[in-house]
Amino acid sequence: MRLRVGVIGLGPAWQHRHRPALMMMRDRFQVRAIYAPVAHLAAQAARDFEAETMDGYRALIHRSDIDAVIVLDSSWQGWLPLVAACEAGKAVYWASDLNIDAQRAAELKEQVDKSGIAFMAEFPRRYAPATLRLKELLATKLGKPQLLFCHRRLRHSDPTSNNLVSDVPQHQERTTRELVEIVDWCRYVVADNPTHLNSTIYGGPGQETYRQLSMRFGTGPEAVCAQISVGQYVPSSWHEAIGFRPSADMQICCEHGLAFIDLPSTLVWFDDAGRHVESLETELPVGEQLLIQFHRSVTSLVRKMANLQDAYYALQVIRLASQSAETGQRICLTELFNPTPPI
């Protein structure tokens, strides 16, 4: 089945992820309309796909020849495109920011539930070739995970860009987005939900430069621990320092070995036989993997809500991490809404 889709916003990953994926998957997706705040960018993208440009997101969503909506950048509209898609009964691929207050997140989850639409939040780390290969190694060579380390050193945001959706500073929104994705990534790799967490924040309110989370999966000697940190602590003027010796995107210690992941397609792992280097450049790119999953969720006769629940769960974890940082206390997550762990 070929899905007729409309694209809202182009987003920072348009050129290197979404555009190539949509080009390669024209047998499954036909881009019929594009809306973006910058008119000349929308016109250029529309020419590439022989699509129409639209003056607004609502007009795009309510077109009769649109089956699904791909939201790559919601800009000033925030979550309004999702609300409009629920009203119109259109499936949604959401690649824009996930940051939203807890009450509104619960309301949106309920609205999507009631509308019956297919919804997929973009978690690119899950479907990176290196992650998929790691899951194979955990099942065959490396054994059960024991310790995970994920560190992200972010570049400073463009000071000329404005946050028109909320009063939260843009660097704080970027940090939250990274944390949400990494929390989901760790759940996906461990295939379980965390039971406890504690967190630390460096910097005053609105001036945060570093966040650290420690998540524990399970109890006793078999428990798995994940250390996550995200920060923008290097001054933007120190150009050489920002990219100096970046940490692996994930370092994971297992029962029978150790692995290092550099997204999207480099994996180095060690066991008793020594070092193994795998470059997975020839594997299906992340963008295409994600679109395949979205196509399946839309065309399947069985409605899949796990992705929406995973996004909602990760947001709850980040909210509670902020609470832990404020109080200095460890927080139990067992009473939290616990969806089935991603596998």
Side-chain angles (χ1 to χ4, degrees), residues 39-280:
H40 78 274
L41 294 178
Q44 180 180 348
R47 285 194 298 271
D48 291 342
F49 291 93
E50 299 179 352
E52 295 183 43
T53 57
M54 304 297 294
D55 295 329
Y57 70 90
R58 291 189 66 87
L60 181 149
I61 290 171
H62 285 276
R63 284 176 56 132
S64 60
D65 62 343
I66 294 293
D67 302 314
V69 181
I70 297 177
V71 183
L72 303 181
D73 184 5
S74 58
S75 187
W76 58 269
Q77 305 103 335
W79 289 83
L80 292 177
L82 177 57
V83 175
C86 289
E87 295 171 353
K90 304 293 177 70
V92 176
Y93 178 98
W94 189 271
S96 188
D97 286 339
L98 292 167
N99 194 16
I100 192 172
D101 65 85
Q103 181 178 349
R104 185 61 174 145
E107 292 172 356
L108 285 170
K109 179 178 178 294
E110 183 179 358
Q111 193 164 3
V112 173
D113 285 341
K114 289 182 177 180
S115 70
I117 67 169
F119 174 87
M120 177 173 167
E122 184 180 70
F123 288 121
R125 286 174 170 84
R126 280 192 190 187
Y127 300 104
T131 303
L132 299 179
R133 175 58 178 151
L134 173 65
K135 293 283 281 186
E136 293 177 359
L137 290 172
L138 294 177
T140 58
K141 299 287 186 180
L142 295 175
K144 182 182 176 182
Q146 296 175 332
L147 292 169
L148 290 81
F149 302 93
C150 302
H151 175 67
R152 282 282 287 146
R153 185 168 61 212
L154 300 177
R155 294 179 179 271
H156 283 264
S157 305
D158 183 355
T160 62
S161 59
N162 297 315
N163 180 358
L164 302 177
V165 178
S166 70
D167 296 329
V168 181
Q170 191 176 32
H171 73 275
Q172 191 171 331
E173 286 199 342
R174 289 183 65 207
T175 299
T176 300
R177 174 62 187 255
E178 290 289 333
L179 286 171
V180 166
E181 290 192 11
I182 295 174
V183 165
D184 177 81
W185 193 26
C186 290
R187 287 181 64 234
Y188 180 71
V189 170
V190 178
D192 199 359
N193 292 326
T195 56
H196 297 84
L197 75 81
N198 61 291
S199 178
T200 301
I201 295 177
Y202 177 77
Q207 301 296 323
E208 299 170 7
T209 57
Y210 180 81
R211 283 195 193 189
Q212 180 271 333
L213 274 73
S214 178
M215 295 194 304
R216 189 175 182 87
F217 298 80
T219 57
E222 299 298 318
V224 180
C225 183
Q227 296 285 341
I228 300 170
S229 60
V230 176
Q232 290 180 309
Y233 46 84
V234 179
S236 57
S237 58
W238 297 2
H239 303 294
E240 292 187 41
I242 291 173
F244 184 68
R245 291 186 181 177
S247 303
D249 291 305
M250 177 181 284
Q251 176 183 341
I252 178 169
C253 301
C254 308
E255 287 180 300
H256 309 300
L258 179 69
F260 297 83
I261 286 182
D262 289 311
L263 295 174
S265 55
T266 300
L267 174 66
V268 180
W269 56 282
F270 299 81
D271 62 3
D272 291 338
R275 181 174 66 175
H276 311 266
V277 180
E278 299 191 26
S279 181
L280 306 164

